[in-house]
Each structure stands twice: as structure tokens, then as C-alpha cells.
Amino acid sequence: MNSLKIGLFLLILLAVGTLLVFAAQTEASIEKGKVLFNDPKLGTSGKTCNTCHAGGKGLEMAGTQSNLDSTVNACITTPLRGTALDVKSVEMQSLLLYIKSLGEKKPTAKKPAMGC
């Protein structure tokens, strides 16, 4: 009876773990966007978004565009020679989150006071 309870517990634990992994794969995130931004498989030219926008340079205000998804797809289909992403896809939403994050103010580290 005790081994049955342990087996059932492990089965439930495995099911919950599987659901968490699946949920993580189907939710948009800044981290996924950053990976896609640097992924040459987004197109067929061997280039990445980072090729033209190294470290996101020049995209600081891009997150304010109302048509950012269209702009991203234009970059994917033209310079990257890839297939446009579905606007509602996890990939597009992740790229948009990442690009928008580039415009967020980053806290600047204060230098410690030099003293005696």
C-alpha cells in the first residue's frame, strides 16, 4: 500500500512537471525574444536581427510603434529572407517583448564613494 502511494505521488509529480515545461514553452517571454533576436534560423540569409541591430542598438524607441509587429515581419521577410511570423504566435510576442524591453530604462550602477 505504501509503495502504491509513493508511485501515485511520483506520477502526479511527473504530470505537474510536464505541464510546467509545456506552459513555459507556450508562453511568450523576453528571454525567448532575445534568443530569437540572435537566431539565424529566423531566416535563410544567415543573418539575425542582431546583425543589423547589435545589442538592440537603435531600437530603444521601437517599442512605442503601433505597427511594431509589421516592422518585425518586414525585417524577417526582407533582410533575413524568412517567413513572416503569425502576429499571435509565441515567437512574435516574445520578439515584441524583447524589443520593447530595449527601451526600458536600465538602472545605472552608482560608484561607491571613495574615502579614507
XYZ file of all heavy atoms in Angstrom:
843
model
N 0.817 -1.196 0.000
C 0.000 0.000 0.000
C 0.863 1.263 0.000
O 0.545 2.226 -0.667
C -0.935 -0.050 1.223
C -1.927 1.061 1.266
S -3.146 0.809 -0.046
C -4.201 2.148 0.245
N 1.942 1.218 0.774
C 2.835 2.367 0.864
C 3.522 2.630 -0.477
O 3.674 3.777 -0.889
C 3.864 2.136 1.970
C 4.366 3.434 2.557
O 3.781 4.485 2.328
N 5.432 3.355 3.310
N 3.952 1.575 -1.163
C 4.604 1.748 -2.465
C 3.612 2.264 -3.509
O 3.989 2.981 -4.438
C 5.263 0.450 -2.925
O 4.287 -0.546 -3.087
N 2.341 1.916 -3.358
C 1.309 2.426 -4.253
C 1.155 3.937 -4.084
O 1.048 4.674 -5.072
C -0.024 1.715 -3.996
C -1.188 2.107 -4.897
C -0.852 1.806 -6.354
C -2.448 1.372 -4.487
N 1.188 4.414 -2.841
C 1.087 5.855 -2.565
C 2.296 6.592 -3.133
O 2.154 7.654 -3.721
C 0.981 6.110 -1.061
C -0.346 5.737 -0.466
C -0.358 6.038 1.010
C -1.658 5.610 1.656
N -1.650 5.878 3.102
N 3.464 5.998 -2.971
C 4.687 6.622 -3.496
C 4.624 6.667 -5.021
O 4.953 7.677 -5.641
C 5.938 5.867 -3.007
C 6.106 6.072 -1.494
C 7.186 6.344 -3.745
C 7.197 5.216 -0.881
N 4.185 5.593 -5.639
C 4.063 5.547 -7.094
C 3.074 6.576 -7.611
O 3.331 7.263 -8.609
N 1.940 6.698 -6.927
C 0.933 7.685 -7.314
C 1.471 9.101 -7.154
O 1.280 9.951 -8.027
C -0.342 7.491 -6.473
C -1.527 8.380 -6.827
C -1.929 8.177 -8.284
C -2.706 8.082 -5.911
N 2.193 9.345 -6.059
C 2.795 10.658 -5.831
C 3.786 11.003 -6.942
O 3.786 12.118 -7.465
C 3.488 10.694 -4.457
C 4.241 11.966 -4.210
C 3.568 13.146 -3.905
C 5.623 11.997 -4.301
C 4.265 14.317 -3.689
C 6.319 13.168 -4.094
C 5.639 14.342 -3.776
N 4.634 10.048 -7.306
C 5.617 10.283 -8.372
C 4.941 10.528 -9.717
O 5.392 11.365 -10.505
C 6.585 9.108 -8.465
C 7.551 8.957 -7.291
C 8.360 7.672 -7.436
C 8.463 10.160 -7.187
N 3.854 9.816 -9.968
C 3.112 10.017 -11.207
C 2.508 11.421 -11.263
O 2.583 12.098 -12.292
C 2.013 8.963 -11.331
C 1.227 8.961 -12.635
C 2.150 8.700 -13.815
C 0.139 7.907 -12.594
N 1.941 11.869 -10.166
C 1.380 13.225 -10.102
C 2.482 14.264 -10.264
O 2.328 15.240 -10.994
C 0.601 13.426 -8.782
C -0.667 12.578 -8.792
C 0.263 14.902 -8.567
C -1.389 12.517 -7.465
N 3.614 14.030 -9.604
C 4.749 14.948 -9.709
C 5.244 15.038 -11.149
O 5.519 16.134 -11.655
C 5.867 14.483 -8.782
C 7.042 15.415 -8.587
C 6.579 16.733 -7.970
C 8.077 14.768 -7.700
N 5.317 13.922 -11.830
C 5.733 13.900 -13.231
C 4.745 14.657 -14.109
O 5.138 15.426 -14.988
C 5.873 12.450 -13.714
C 6.276 12.261 -15.169
C 7.671 12.808 -15.404
C 6.216 10.793 -15.543
N 3.455 14.469 -13.863
C 2.422 15.162 -14.653
C 2.514 16.671 -14.451
O 2.454 17.440 -15.420
C 1.033 14.659 -14.265
N 2.678 17.108 -13.219
C 2.787 18.545 -12.938
C 4.044 19.105 -13.596
O 4.010 20.177 -14.207
C 2.776 18.809 -11.417
C 3.153 20.247 -11.103
C 1.411 18.475 -10.825
N 5.152 18.399 -13.502
C 6.395 18.848 -14.127
C 6.257 18.976 -15.630
O 6.725 19.939 -16.239
N 5.604 18.017 -16.245
C 5.382 18.052 -17.692
C 4.527 19.250 -18.085
O 4.816 19.932 -19.068
C 4.705 16.743 -18.158
O 5.537 15.649 -17.798
C 4.488 16.735 -19.649
N 3.482 19.520 -17.303
C 2.631 20.677 -17.578
C 3.398 21.982 -17.455
O 3.223 22.899 -18.254
C 1.417 20.689 -16.647
C 0.351 19.649 -16.938
C -0.720 19.653 -15.845
C -0.292 19.890 -18.286
N 4.270 22.078 -16.453
C 5.066 23.299 -16.277
C 6.020 23.516 -17.446
O 6.180 24.634 -17.919
C 5.839 23.248 -14.954
C 5.002 23.378 -13.697
C 5.866 23.173 -12.459
C 4.298 24.723 -13.640
N 6.638 22.451 -17.917
C 7.538 22.553 -19.074
C 6.752 22.977 -20.304
O 7.165 23.870 -21.051
C 8.281 21.220 -19.317
C 8.983 21.226 -20.662
C 9.265 20.957 -18.203
N 5.593 22.370 -20.526
C 4.763 22.724 -21.671
C 4.322 24.181 -21.587
O 4.370 24.911 -22.574
C 3.543 21.807 -21.761
C 2.649 22.135 -22.922
C 3.030 21.819 -24.208
C 1.439 22.778 -22.728
C 2.211 22.123 -25.290
C 0.620 23.092 -23.790
C 1.011 22.761 -25.077
N 3.905 24.635 -20.407
C 3.468 26.025 -20.231
C 4.612 26.978 -20.512
O 4.430 28.019 -21.134
C 2.920 26.235 -18.825
N 5.807 26.632 -20.080
C 6.961 27.503 -20.314
C 7.265 27.629 -21.801
O 7.732 28.661 -22.264
C 8.184 26.970 -19.566
N 6.994 26.569 -22.564
C 7.264 26.600 -23.996
C 6.201 27.371 -24.764
O 6.426 27.797 -25.878
C 7.348 25.175 -24.545
C 8.541 24.415 -24.044
C 8.523 22.966 -24.479
O 7.522 22.456 -24.954
N 9.640 22.295 -24.307
N 5.020 27.533 -24.179
C 3.926 28.163 -24.900
C 3.640 29.580 -24.430
O 2.679 30.181 -24.885
C 2.642 27.326 -24.781
O 2.307 27.195 -23.395
C 2.810 25.960 -25.412
N 4.462 30.114 -23.537
C 4.272 31.481 -23.075
C 5.377 32.371 -23.630
O 6.546 32.005 -23.628
C 4.284 31.534 -21.546
C 3.070 30.881 -20.930
C 3.076 30.968 -19.414
O 3.824 31.804 -18.864
O 2.342 30.201 -18.796
N 4.985 33.531 -24.082
C 5.957 34.493 -24.600
C 6.793 35.027 -23.445
O 6.314 35.161 -22.328
C 5.226 35.642 -25.289
N 8.056 35.333 -23.745
C 8.931 35.907 -22.723
C 10.032 36.736 -23.374
O 10.362 36.542 -24.544
C 9.559 34.804 -21.863
O 10.515 34.074 -22.612
N 10.568 37.643 -22.590
C 11.690 38.464 -23.058
C 12.876 37.567 -23.399
O 13.552 37.774 -24.411
C 12.072 39.514 -21.996
C 10.949 40.550 -21.853
C 13.394 40.188 -22.340
C 11.125 41.517 -20.693
N 13.104 36.553 -22.584
C 14.240 35.654 -22.803
C 14.123 34.930 -24.146
O 15.096 34.819 -24.875
C 14.342 34.637 -21.658
C 14.698 35.239 -20.325
C 13.524 35.924 -19.617
O 12.348 35.610 -19.925
O 13.785 36.807 -18.788
N 12.924 34.438 -24.458
C 12.715 33.772 -25.756
C 12.905 34.768 -26.890
O 13.449 34.431 -27.939
C 11.315 33.168 -25.836
C 11.131 31.941 -24.992
C 9.710 31.431 -25.109
C 9.459 30.337 -24.087
N 8.071 29.927 -24.040
N 12.449 35.989 -26.678
C 12.623 37.019 -27.696
C 14.082 37.307 -27.975
O 14.490 37.468 -29.124
N 14.879 37.345 -26.919
C 16.316 37.604 -27.082
C 16.977 36.466 -27.855
O 17.822 36.702 -28.722
C 16.985 37.774 -25.723
C 18.439 38.161 -25.820
C 19.031 38.465 -24.462
C 20.470 38.940 -24.609
N 21.047 39.302 -23.313
N 16.572 35.232 -27.561
C 17.113 34.083 -28.290
C 16.756 34.194 -29.774
O 17.612 34.018 -30.642
C 16.596 32.755 -27.688
C 16.917 31.576 -28.589
C 17.179 32.547 -26.301
N 15.501 34.500 -30.077
C 15.068 34.643 -31.475
C 15.784 35.802 -32.163
O 16.134 35.712 -33.343
C 13.561 34.859 -31.543
C 12.716 33.632 -31.245
C 11.263 34.031 -31.035
C 12.835 32.622 -32.371
N 16.005 36.897 -31.450
C 16.683 38.076 -31.976
C 18.087 37.713 -32.471
O 18.616 38.332 -33.378
C 16.759 39.137 -30.871
C 17.113 40.504 -31.327
C 16.151 41.364 -31.831
C 18.418 40.977 -31.214
C 16.474 42.654 -32.231
C 18.746 42.265 -31.610
C 17.773 43.104 -32.114
N 18.665 36.676 -31.862
C 20.025 36.256 -32.192
C 20.072 34.934 -32.963
O 21.142 34.358 -33.121
C 20.842 36.127 -30.904
C 21.082 37.469 -30.269
O 21.905 38.241 -30.722
N 20.342 37.775 -29.209
N 18.934 34.477 -33.459
C 18.842 33.175 -34.121
C 18.847 33.304 -35.644
O 17.916 33.852 -36.232
C 17.557 32.473 -33.676
C 17.488 31.026 -34.125
O 18.357 30.579 -34.910
O 16.558 30.326 -33.686
N 19.896 32.788 -36.317
C 19.937 32.861 -37.782
C 18.868 31.997 -38.450
O 18.602 32.159 -39.636
C 21.344 32.370 -38.131
C 21.796 31.588 -36.957
C 21.090 32.156 -35.758
N 18.216 31.103 -37.703
C 17.176 30.254 -38.281
C 15.864 31.001 -38.468
O 14.919 30.452 -39.015
C 16.965 29.022 -37.399
C 18.171 28.108 -37.387
C 17.950 26.934 -36.476
C 19.234 26.121 -36.391
N 19.183 25.177 -35.283
N 15.812 32.258 -38.045
C 14.621 33.078 -38.256
C 14.469 33.394 -39.746
O 13.392 33.748 -40.197
C 14.733 34.363 -37.437
C 13.471 35.081 -37.022
C 12.480 34.154 -36.340
C 13.802 36.233 -36.097
N 15.550 33.234 -40.481
C 15.531 33.454 -41.927
C 16.471 32.483 -42.608
O 16.949 31.532 -42.007
N 16.752 32.755 -43.878
C 17.636 31.866 -44.642
C 18.907 32.568 -45.109
O 19.730 31.969 -45.789
C 16.896 31.318 -45.884
O 16.495 32.418 -46.714
C 15.687 30.494 -45.481
N 19.076 33.827 -44.741
C 20.228 34.599 -45.203
C 21.469 34.408 -44.342
O 22.546 34.873 -44.711
C 19.875 36.090 -45.239
O 19.707 36.571 -43.918
N 21.317 33.742 -43.198
C 22.436 33.591 -42.278
C 22.566 34.771 -41.335
O 23.432 34.784 -40.468
N 21.718 35.781 -41.518
C 21.737 36.963 -40.663
C 20.758 36.785 -39.510
O 19.882 35.927 -39.546
C 21.343 38.211 -41.458
C 22.303 38.582 -42.553
C 21.819 39.814 -43.274
C 22.770 40.187 -44.404
N 22.298 41.374 -45.130
N 20.919 37.627 -38.504
C 19.989 37.678 -37.381
C 19.522 39.118 -37.222
O 20.076 40.029 -37.848
C 20.665 37.245 -36.068
O 21.634 38.238 -35.688
C 21.345 35.893 -36.200
N 18.546 39.329 -36.386
C 18.129 40.706 -36.075
C 19.322 41.469 -35.505
O 19.515 42.651 -35.778
C 16.989 40.712 -35.054
S 15.506 39.828 -35.562
N 20.130 40.758 -34.717
C 21.294 41.361 -34.080
C 22.361 41.779 -35.081
O 23.201 42.624 -34.785
C 21.863 40.393 -33.038
C 22.779 41.074 -32.067
O 22.410 42.060 -31.448
N 23.978 40.543 -31.930
N 22.338 41.226 -36.278
C 23.302 41.608 -37.304
C 23.177 43.103 -37.619
O 24.177 43.814 -37.713
C 23.084 40.793 -38.599
O 23.199 39.398 -38.299
C 24.082 41.173 -39.676
N 21.953 43.574 -37.763
C 21.714 44.987 -38.082
C 21.527 45.846 -36.830
O 21.779 47.041 -36.866
C 20.478 45.126 -38.967
S 20.659 44.323 -40.567
N 21.069 45.219 -35.756
C 20.754 45.955 -34.529
C 21.551 45.361 -33.378
O 20.981 44.825 -32.419
C 19.257 45.878 -34.223
C 18.385 46.318 -35.347
N 18.201 47.638 -35.674
C 17.652 45.597 -36.238
C 17.376 47.717 -36.707
N 17.035 46.498 -37.069
N 22.885 45.451 -33.472
C 23.768 44.846 -32.473
C 23.400 45.293 -31.059
O 23.367 46.484 -30.759
C 25.214 45.198 -32.774
N 23.075 44.319 -30.239
C 22.700 44.615 -28.860
C 21.420 45.426 -28.746
O 21.152 46.018 -27.705
N 20.648 45.468 -29.817
C 19.403 46.236 -29.811
C 19.596 47.707 -30.106
O 18.662 48.502 -30.010
N 20.808 48.070 -30.496
C 21.108 49.475 -30.760
C 20.183 50.033 -31.840
O 19.960 49.426 -32.865
C 22.555 49.635 -31.194
C 22.997 51.073 -31.274
C 24.481 51.216 -31.479
C 24.832 52.691 -31.455
N 26.261 52.912 -31.541
N 19.641 51.205 -31.562
C 18.741 51.870 -32.495
C 17.278 51.461 -32.320
O 16.410 51.986 -32.998
N 17.015 50.524 -31.419
C 15.639 50.063 -31.222
C 15.050 50.558 -29.897
O 13.992 50.097 -29.489
C 15.584 48.526 -31.259
C 15.994 47.885 -32.575
C 15.947 46.369 -32.458
C 15.085 48.357 -33.703
N 15.725 51.497 -29.269
C 15.295 51.968 -27.953
C 13.868 52.516 -27.960
O 13.143 52.376 -26.986
C 16.257 53.040 -27.427
C 17.663 52.533 -27.169
C 18.564 52.524 -28.400
O 18.120 52.905 -29.513
O 19.730 52.105 -28.251
N 13.437 53.109 -29.058
C 12.097 53.692 -29.158
C 11.140 52.827 -29.984
O 9.979 53.173 -30.147
C 12.172 55.102 -29.769
C 12.988 56.099 -28.951
S 12.328 56.358 -27.308
C 10.774 57.128 -27.669
N 11.612 51.710 -30.489
C 10.793 50.862 -31.360
C 9.543 50.349 -30.648
O 8.500 50.162 -31.271
C 11.611 49.686 -31.883
N 9.631 50.126 -29.354
C 8.507 49.613 -28.598
C 7.314 50.544 -28.550
O 6.206 50.133 -28.211
N 7.501 51.781 -28.942
C 6.399 52.747 -28.944
C 5.617 52.731 -30.255
O 4.570 53.364 -30.350
C 6.921 54.173 -28.687
O 7.807 54.547 -29.743
C 7.665 54.258 -27.348
N 6.110 52.011 -31.262
C 5.432 51.937 -32.560
C 4.160 51.104 -32.454
O 4.169 50.015 -31.880
C 6.322 51.274 -33.605
C 7.509 52.064 -34.038
C 8.279 51.321 -35.125
O 7.957 50.191 -35.496
N 9.299 51.967 -35.644
N 3.091 51.599 -33.026
C 1.830 50.839 -33.010
C 1.861 49.669 -33.995
O 1.115 48.715 -33.850
C 0.655 51.758 -33.322
O 0.811 52.319 -34.613
N 2.743 49.736 -34.985
C 2.821 48.676 -36.004
C 4.126 47.893 -35.887
O 4.657 47.430 -36.886
C 2.689 49.284 -37.398
C 3.835 50.231 -37.719
O 4.517 50.736 -36.826
N 4.050 50.474 -38.997
N 4.611 47.719 -34.670
C 5.901 47.054 -34.473
C 5.898 45.631 -35.043
O 6.883 45.208 -35.639
C 6.264 47.029 -32.981
C 7.607 46.413 -32.620
C 8.752 47.104 -33.356
C 7.824 46.470 -31.108
N 4.792 44.921 -34.917
C 4.737 43.557 -35.452
C 4.934 43.542 -36.969
O 5.642 42.685 -37.497
C 3.449 42.840 -35.058
C 2.190 43.638 -35.367
O 2.277 44.748 -35.916
O 1.100 43.137 -35.045
N 4.381 44.522 -37.664
C 4.569 44.616 -39.124
C 6.018 44.927 -39.463
O 6.568 44.388 -40.431
C 3.673 45.700 -39.715
O 2.328 45.397 -39.506
N 6.625 45.791 -38.675
C 8.030 46.146 -38.898
C 8.923 44.933 -38.677
O 9.843 44.676 -39.457
C 8.445 47.301 -37.962
O 7.572 48.406 -38.180
C 9.873 47.725 -38.198
N 8.655 44.173 -37.617
C 9.436 42.961 -37.342
C 9.292 41.985 -38.506
O 10.292 41.440 -38.994
C 8.991 42.318 -36.011
C 9.583 40.926 -35.848
C 9.379 43.204 -34.829
N 8.074 41.779 -38.982
C 7.875 40.854 -40.106
C 8.551 41.353 -41.375
O 9.059 40.555 -42.162
C 6.383 40.586 -40.336
C 5.899 39.396 -39.543
O 6.672 38.503 -39.209
N 4.621 39.374 -39.230
N 8.581 42.652 -41.586
C 9.272 43.198 -42.759
C 10.770 42.887 -42.674
O 11.398 42.539 -43.684
C 9.036 44.699 -42.867
N 11.325 42.984 -41.494
C 12.752 42.660 -41.312
C 12.998 41.165 -41.515
O 14.005 40.770 -42.097
C 13.234 43.087 -39.931
S 13.410 44.875 -39.739
N 12.073 40.356 -41.030
C 12.233 38.904 -41.172
C 12.144 38.495 -42.636
O 12.950 37.700 -43.128
C 11.186 38.143 -40.331
C 11.490 38.315 -38.839
C 11.149 36.656 -40.700
C 10.406 37.783 -37.911
N 11.188 39.061 -43.376
C 10.982 38.625 -44.761
C 11.977 39.227 -45.740
O 12.269 38.606 -46.757
C 9.550 38.945 -45.233
O 9.308 40.345 -45.116
C 8.533 38.165 -44.431
N 12.504 40.413 -45.450
C 13.405 41.049 -46.411
C 14.872 40.764 -46.105
O 15.468 39.914 -46.762
C 13.102 42.554 -46.524
O 11.708 42.703 -46.825
C 13.897 43.196 -47.645
N 15.507 41.413 -45.126
C 16.936 41.146 -44.931
C 17.245 39.719 -44.460
O 18.251 39.149 -44.851
C 17.389 42.169 -43.895
C 16.194 42.870 -43.399
C 15.033 42.483 -44.249
N 16.364 39.144 -43.631
C 16.632 37.792 -43.143
C 16.156 36.719 -44.111
O 16.534 35.554 -43.984
C 15.971 37.565 -41.776
C 16.386 38.503 -40.648
C 15.723 38.076 -39.339
C 17.889 38.560 -40.489
N 15.316 37.111 -45.076
C 14.738 36.187 -46.064
C 14.061 34.987 -45.390
O 14.291 33.840 -45.739
C 15.798 35.732 -47.069
C 16.280 36.852 -47.961
C 17.044 36.361 -49.163
N 18.175 35.500 -48.871
C 19.446 35.879 -48.913
N 19.754 37.103 -49.257
N 20.403 35.028 -48.641
N 13.195 35.326 -44.439
C 12.460 34.292 -43.723
C 10.976 34.406 -43.983
O 10.526 35.196 -44.816
N 10.222 33.626 -43.262
C 8.768 33.621 -43.368
C 8.194 34.472 -42.252
O 8.596 34.341 -41.092
C 8.226 32.178 -43.235
O 8.848 31.379 -44.252
C 6.734 32.129 -43.393
N 7.261 35.350 -42.600
C 6.632 36.219 -41.606
C 6.014 35.378 -40.491
O 5.508 34.282 -40.731
C 5.559 37.078 -42.266
N 6.087 35.899 -39.285
C 5.513 35.213 -38.126
C 4.054 35.596 -37.945
O 3.671 36.737 -38.228
C 6.283 35.603 -36.858
C 7.758 35.232 -36.797
C 8.401 35.810 -35.544
C 7.929 33.724 -36.842
N 3.270 34.671 -37.456
C 1.890 34.972 -37.068
C 1.961 35.967 -35.914
O 2.708 35.766 -34.958
C 1.193 33.681 -36.633
C -0.253 33.885 -36.230
O -0.623 35.002 -35.799
O -1.021 32.921 -36.321
N 1.205 37.034 -36.012
C 1.235 38.096 -35.007
C 0.890 37.566 -33.619
O 1.404 38.061 -32.618
C 0.271 39.241 -35.411
C 0.210 40.303 -34.355
C 0.700 39.828 -36.740
N 0.065 36.540 -33.536
C -0.356 35.998 -32.250
C 0.550 34.866 -31.748
O 0.333 34.339 -30.664
C -1.797 35.495 -32.339
C -2.783 36.613 -32.589
C -4.194 36.099 -32.662
C -5.150 37.241 -32.954
N -6.536 36.798 -33.064
N 1.571 34.515 -32.508
C 2.435 33.397 -32.122
C 3.302 33.755 -30.916
O 3.583 34.921 -30.643
C 3.333 32.988 -33.296
O 4.300 33.998 -33.549
N 3.736 32.726 -30.207
C 4.636 32.907 -29.067
C 5.929 33.566 -29.540
O 6.478 34.430 -28.854
C 4.933 31.538 -28.397
C 6.025 31.664 -27.363
C 3.672 30.973 -27.773
N 6.393 33.190 -30.728
C 7.640 33.751 -31.254
C 7.520 35.259 -31.470
O 8.389 36.019 -31.046
C 8.040 33.053 -32.566
C 8.436 31.602 -32.411
C 7.259 30.639 -32.321
O 6.091 31.046 -32.549
O 7.511 29.464 -32.008
N 6.442 35.691 -32.138
C 6.263 37.124 -32.383
C 6.083 37.875 -31.066
O 6.693 38.920 -30.854
C 5.073 37.381 -33.308
C 4.768 38.866 -33.515
S 6.119 39.813 -34.275
C 5.785 39.492 -36.010
N 5.253 37.351 -30.194
C 5.014 38.020 -28.914
C 6.297 38.112 -28.096
O 6.552 39.116 -27.432
C 3.897 37.314 -28.131
C 2.535 37.415 -28.796
C 2.125 38.850 -29.078
O 2.174 39.699 -28.201
N 1.714 39.133 -30.305
N 7.147 37.093 -28.165
C 8.426 37.111 -27.456
C 9.367 38.154 -28.055
O 10.037 38.892 -27.323
C 9.077 35.727 -27.492
O 8.305 34.798 -26.763
N 9.424 38.209 -29.388
C 10.260 39.235 -30.036
C 9.788 40.637 -29.660
O 10.607 41.518 -29.364
C 10.232 39.076 -31.559
C 11.232 38.106 -32.157
C 10.924 37.853 -33.627
C 12.647 38.619 -31.986
N 8.476 40.846 -29.650
C 7.943 42.161 -29.292
C 8.282 42.514 -27.845
O 8.678 43.655 -27.554
C 6.425 42.203 -29.514
C 5.944 42.046 -30.955
C 4.426 42.027 -31.015
C 6.514 43.129 -31.849
N 8.159 41.544 -26.949
C 8.516 41.798 -25.547
C 9.989 42.168 -25.419
O 10.349 43.094 -24.682
C 8.214 40.565 -24.686
C 6.758 40.292 -24.364
C 6.615 38.925 -23.691
C 6.187 41.387 -23.469
N 10.840 41.441 -26.136
C 12.276 41.730 -26.064
C 12.580 43.119 -26.625
O 13.295 43.904 -26.004
C 13.090 40.670 -26.811
C 14.561 41.019 -26.848
C 15.311 41.035 -25.682
C 15.191 41.363 -28.033
C 16.648 41.384 -25.699
C 16.528 41.698 -28.062
C 17.258 41.710 -26.889
O 18.584 42.066 -26.902
N 12.037 43.435 -27.781
C 12.298 44.746 -28.395
C 11.780 45.863 -27.498
O 12.459 46.870 -27.302
C 11.697 44.811 -29.814
C 12.456 43.846 -30.737
C 11.740 46.232 -30.363
C 11.800 43.600 -32.077
N 10.604 45.685 -26.929
C 10.065 46.698 -26.019
C 10.941 46.846 -24.779
O 11.097 47.948 -24.250
C 8.629 46.360 -25.628
C 7.661 46.562 -26.778
C 6.261 46.137 -26.415
C 5.324 46.308 -27.626
N 3.953 45.889 -27.333
N 11.540 45.757 -24.340
C 12.402 45.822 -23.150
C 13.665 46.637 -23.413
O 14.277 47.152 -22.474
C 12.790 44.416 -22.687
O 13.817 43.856 -23.478
N 14.049 46.772 -24.673
C 15.251 47.540 -25.007
C 15.076 49.024 -24.705
O 16.050 49.738 -24.510
C 15.614 47.354 -26.485
C 15.967 45.930 -26.892
C 16.094 45.827 -28.405
C 17.234 45.470 -26.203
N 13.833 49.486 -24.659
C 13.563 50.891 -24.394
C 13.367 51.210 -22.928
O 13.263 52.365 -22.552
N 13.306 50.159 -22.102
C 13.121 50.406 -20.682
C 14.405 50.955 -20.092
O 15.495 50.519 -20.444
C 12.718 49.110 -19.970
C 11.373 48.601 -20.422
C 11.039 47.234 -19.840
O 11.859 46.673 -19.089
O 9.956 46.730 -20.163
N 14.241 51.899 -19.196
C 15.423 52.489 -18.573
C 16.084 51.467 -17.670
O 15.445 50.826 -16.864
C 15.044 53.728 -17.777
C 14.606 54.869 -18.659
C 14.409 56.121 -17.868
C 14.041 57.264 -18.802
N 13.884 58.509 -18.092
N 17.367 51.330 -17.862
C 18.142 50.424 -17.040
C 18.728 51.219 -15.872
O 19.240 52.322 -16.073
C 19.294 49.812 -17.848
C 18.871 49.205 -19.162
C 18.612 47.742 -19.006
C 18.385 47.032 -20.306
N 17.167 47.231 -20.972
N 18.647 50.695 -14.668
C 19.244 51.427 -13.546
C 20.747 51.485 -13.717
O 21.390 50.519 -14.115
C 18.856 50.599 -12.328
C 18.459 49.260 -12.842
C 18.055 49.446 -14.278
N 21.292 52.635 -13.455
C 22.733 52.801 -13.563
C 23.351 52.514 -12.212
O 22.836 52.928 -11.170
C 23.103 54.223 -14.023
O 22.519 55.151 -13.105
C 22.591 54.494 -15.410
N 24.437 51.775 -12.254
C 25.121 51.435 -11.013
C 25.887 52.663 -10.517
O 26.615 53.305 -11.268
C 26.066 50.276 -11.248
N 25.676 52.967 -9.267
C 26.403 54.079 -8.672
C 27.756 53.585 -8.206
O 27.878 52.494 -7.656
C 25.620 54.655 -7.498
C 24.333 55.308 -7.917
C 23.645 55.925 -6.733
C 22.340 56.586 -7.162
N 21.642 57.184 -6.029
N 28.764 54.395 -8.435
C 30.091 54.046 -7.984
C 30.164 54.274 -6.481
O 29.633 55.271 -5.976
C 31.142 54.908 -8.693
C 31.258 54.605 -10.168
C 32.369 55.401 -10.790
C 32.479 55.083 -12.273
N 33.561 55.833 -12.898
N 30.805 53.352 -5.782
C 30.917 53.551 -4.348
C 31.787 54.768 -4.049
O 32.719 55.070 -4.781
C 31.585 52.257 -3.859
C 32.195 51.640 -5.068
C 31.413 52.135 -6.245
N 31.438 55.444 -2.994
C 32.205 56.636 -2.591
C 33.602 56.229 -2.186
O 33.803 55.256 -1.463
C 31.494 57.350 -1.450
N 34.556 56.955 -2.682
C 35.953 56.701 -2.311
C 36.244 57.536 -1.073
O 35.911 58.703 -1.024
C 36.890 57.089 -3.460
C 36.641 56.287 -4.719
S 36.847 54.541 -4.434
C 38.280 54.259 -5.380
N 36.786 56.917 -0.140
C 37.047 57.657 1.103
C 38.283 57.180 1.791
O 39.132 56.523 1.233
N 38.354 57.553 3.041
C 39.531 57.247 3.858
C 39.723 55.781 4.044
O 38.912 55.033 4.307
C 39.419 57.881 5.235
S 38.819 59.577 5.223
